[in-house]
């Protein structure tokens, strides 16, 4: 499984991947938004993350091969995403204020 990190080189905090040996870095996302709190699904096929764009927060998943985003929950105060032990469900904290 690759290591994932967020970098602001593009002007936004986009997700990047790098091999465990430290080589082969590639930018995974190009969302024109900030992505944070990313966490791998156990099988390494995707990540969950919080996307912030114009002070709007969305819970998203990101396909590790293509970088394609899927919005799980829109416009809330989401945090601390993590996958269940079997990787089938995504848990997160929702703060209704």
């Amino acid at each position: 499984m690759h290591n994932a990190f967020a970098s602001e080189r593009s002007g936004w905090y986009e997700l990047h991947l790098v091999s465990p040996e430290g080589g082969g870095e590639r930018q995974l996302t190009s969302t024109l938004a900030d992505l944070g709190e990313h966490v791998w699904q156990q099988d390494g096929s995707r990540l969950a993350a919080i996307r912030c764009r114009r002070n709007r927060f969305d819970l998203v998943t990101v396909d590790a091969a293509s970088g394609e985003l899927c919005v799980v929950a829109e416009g809330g105060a989401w945090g601390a995403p993590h996958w269940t032990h079997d990787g089938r469900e995504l848990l997160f904290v929702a703060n209704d204020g």
Side-chain angles (χ1 to χ4, degrees):
M1 184 180 328
H2 285 80
N3 296 311
F5 65 96
S7 172
E8 193 184 21
R9 282 180 245 164
S10 69
W12 301 94
Y13 282 100
E14 299 284 1
L15 294 181
H16 293 248
L17 299 180
V18 65
S19 74
E21 296 79 29
E25 179 187 332
R26 71 179 175 99
Q27 184 171 333
L28 178 62
T29 60
S30 296
T31 63
L32 302 179
D34 291 326
L35 292 166
E37 295 190 53
H38 58 277
V39 60
W40 280 104
Q41 187 175 25
Q42 284 78 344
D43 67 4
S45 64
R46 59 188 172 157
L47 297 103
I50 306 299
R51 175 178 69 180
C52 177
R53 183 172 35 193
R54 297 184 199 108
N55 285 332
R56 180 183 172 103
F57 295 88
D58 302 320
L59 178 65
V60 299
T61 60
V62 182
D63 182 274
S66 68
E68 182 178 339
L69 261 70
C70 176
V71 177
V72 176
E74 291 184 299
W78 319 113
H82 61 279
W83 298 94
T84 56
H85 176 68
D86 61 9
R88 293 182 180 195
E89 295 181 275
L90 178 59
L91 307 175
F92 55 91
V93 174
N95 183 357
D96 293 334

